[in-house]
Amino acid sequence: MKNILVTGGLGYIGSHTVVALQQAGFQVYIIDDLSNTQLEVWDKITGITGVQPVYYNIDLKDFNAVSVFFQSHKIDGVVHFAAYKAVGESVEKPLMYYRNNLVGLINMLEAMEENNVGHFIFSSSCTVYGQADHMPISEATPLKKPESPYGNTKKMGEEIIEDFVKATHKKAIALRYFNPVGAHSSAAIGEVPNGIPNNLIPYVTQTAMGIRESLGVFGNDYETRDGTAVRDYIDVNDLADAHVKAMQRLLDGKNTANLEFFNLGSGTGSTVLEIVDAFEKVNNLKINYEIKPRRAGDIVEAYADYSKAKEQLGWEPKTALQTSMQTAWEFQQQLGKQAE
Ligand code: WQD
């Protein structure tokens, strides 16, 4: 049985990926400092799979703690999610984001090198493309300076990994997610934002729950079919599946480059109002919303060309947007009215 370390494994995408890795037959170890999640997610994962992953509360900025972990566990591959990810907060506190996201990454890579651990998967983001000139966005699309320090830590992270794998002849894959949505079918795990949600779907579900008065729709004067911005909403369970396939590719030695990039999206763009409409219809409820000014830093449109992941990972999105809207709502109802 191969041992896989998942950093940030108690987080939103991390927890779904831990479930998928366990169900694919891997032994999973989790490192998470609980800075953006709750310890109870550990039990929730165990409840879904019946197998308790090994868990350590380690801050990746503490190199010695990371190194000691690798000295005491034989790890075959690493999936690295651990990072701060709030776009707005990153604009206010850039150094906190650069220190946490980049020092954490560098410590992870250095400890892997020191303990001869290969096979690294990096959680990246479509934000590295900025506002792309053409749709859909493929891996050949030129990168632009991301709109936020958060996005810049993803772009810089990819560059750090590229230099690392060239120097060490290791293999790595960067997965560039579009907009992750939805929750596990058990409603036991899902997206639990800290404080007021930045992302659209948690704000929609909290509005439906009565936690928020109404949803602010950030701008309806974009050059799109209904004036609201277009994004590619990809189900978190499909994202988790892509990580399993990417790790299998690395372990089987099928990488054709030291560092490979894959876009993970549904391939379909949806406007904000289309998302609201889909959520209302499938859950048979109404969402209060009001049009607000555009949000600084927002791009107009982004949706993925995922053909490279389909051809080389054997992956494709399987979950309908309506299903993601349903599971997001079911998870919110399980959370209840508790807001962080
Ligand atoms: C989606 C759309 C908003 C909230 C960012 C990161 C990305 C990824 C996901 C972290 C936009 C609109 C939103 C609201 C709104 N990383 N919106 N009212 O900005 O596309 O991507 O989060 O997880 O790397 O860049 O996602 O969900 O914030 O916004 O109208 O209350 O919904 O303007 O058009 P975004 P988002």
Side-chain angles (χ1 to χ4, degrees):
M1 182 182 275
K2 296 285 187 189
N3 298 332
I4 305 297
L5 167 63
V6 180
T7 72
L10 295 183
Y12 175 36
I13 306 172
S15 56
H16 289 79
T17 300
V18 168
V19 166
L21 285 166
Q22 286 187 317
Q23 290 175 339
F26 291 100
Q27 167 76 34
V28 178
Y29 294 75
I30 294 172
I31 285 178
D32 199 307
D33 68 0
L34 301 181
S35 59
N36 192 22
T37 186
Q38 292 78 33
L39 183 61
E40 68 181 25
V41 174
W42 188 18
D43 287 339
K44 302 279 190 188
I45 291 169
T46 308
I48 292 169
T49 63
V51 178
Q52 186 179 57
V54 177
Y55 164 63
Y56 292 98
N57 184 336
I58 293 173
D59 181 343
L60 297 186
K61 295 189 289 297
D62 176 351
F63 177 75
N64 289 326
V66 178
S67 189
V68 164
F69 168 82
F70 279 108
Q71 288 161 31
S72 35
H73 299 87
K74 180 190 169 302
I75 297 297
D76 299 294
V78 175
V79 186
H80 183 63
F81 291 103
Y84 297 156
K85 64 165 195 170
V87 174
E89 185 185 50
S90 77
V91 174
E92 288 159 28
K93 302 174 183 171
L95 297 185
M96 182 178 93
Y97 270 68
Y98 287 117
R99 176 177 289 114
N100 185 70
N101 293 6
L102 297 183
V103 170
L105 169 63
I106 291 164
N107 284 348
M108 181 52 56
L109 295 174
E110 191 168 1
M112 285 175 67
E113 170 62 3
E114 193 180 73
N115 293 279
N116 199 24
V117 176
H119 310 123
F120 185 73
I121 293 177
F122 180 60
S123 167
S124 190
S125 165
C126 64
T127 197
V128 302
Y129 296 109
Q131 177 55 74
D133 295 334
H134 304 290
M135 294 298 138
I137 299 172
S138 78
E139 294 80 358
T141 300
L143 304 193
K144 292 185 180 172
K145 180 158 172 32
E147 298 288 341
S148 68
Y150 153 78
N152 217 22
T153 67
K154 291 301 180 184
K155 187 161 179 286
M156 293 164 78
E158 290 184 355
E159 291 163 357
I160 290 167
I161 296 161
E162 191 139 45
D163 290 340
F164 171 73
V165 293
K166 280 180 188 159
T168 57
H169 310 297
K170 288 187 183 298
K171 302 288 185 198
I173 288 178
L175 298 176
R176 291 170 175 165
Y177 320 141
F178 281 65
N179 288 60
V181 289
H184 191 265
S185 55
S186 64
I189 53 177
E191 185 173 10
V192 183
N194 259 346
I196 300 174
N198 292 292
N199 291 142
L200 177 62
I201 297 306
Y203 208 106
V204 166
T205 60
Q206 287 194 8
T207 303
M209 201 73 203
I211 297 170
R212 308 291 163 198
E213 267 299 294
S214 80
L215 166 73
V217 174
F218 298 148
N220 69 343
D221 56 351
Y222 288 106
E223 293 289 309
T224 64
R225 44 187 178 269
D226 64 16
T228 62
V230 173
R231 296 290 185 277
D232 180 330
Y233 296 93
I234 175 74
D235 191 87
V236 66
N237 300 286
D238 290 338
L239 283 183
D241 179 42
H243 289 75
V244 176
K245 289 181 162 67
M247 184 53 75
Q248 207 53 65
R249 178 179 174 83
L250 287 170
L251 294 171
D252 296 346
K254 290 189 174 152
N255 247 51
T256 55
N258 289 71
L259 173 60
E260 290 181 324
F261 303 93
F262 293 99
N263 286 354
L264 301 179
S266 70
T268 302
S270 302
T271 70
V272 177
L273 291 181
E274 287 166 351
I275 290 294
V276 171
D277 185 54
F279 187 88
E280 289 180 329
K281 282 203 170 61
V282 79
N283 295 311
N284 192 25
L285 46 77
K286 291 306 282 177
I287 295 287
N288 297 328
Y289 71 84
E290 53 190 315
I291 303 298
K292 292 249 176 97
R294 295 180 177 190
R295 180 172 65 177
D298 272 354
I299 59 170
V300 188
E301 186 179 38
Y303 57 91
D305 169 355
Y306 65 82
S307 52
K308 185 181 173 195
K310 183 173 180 182
E311 284 147 27
Q312 298 188 22
L313 294 184
W315 174 86
E316 55 186 322
K318 296 194 175 67
T319 308
L321 178 69
Q322 289 68 20
T323 305
S324 307
M325 295 299 102
Q326 229 165 353
T327 56
W329 178 227
E330 285 160 5
F331 177 67
Q332 178 66 64
Q333 288 172 299
Q334 177 269 330
L335 275 186
K337 285 191 178 288
Q338 96 195 20
E340 283 302 309

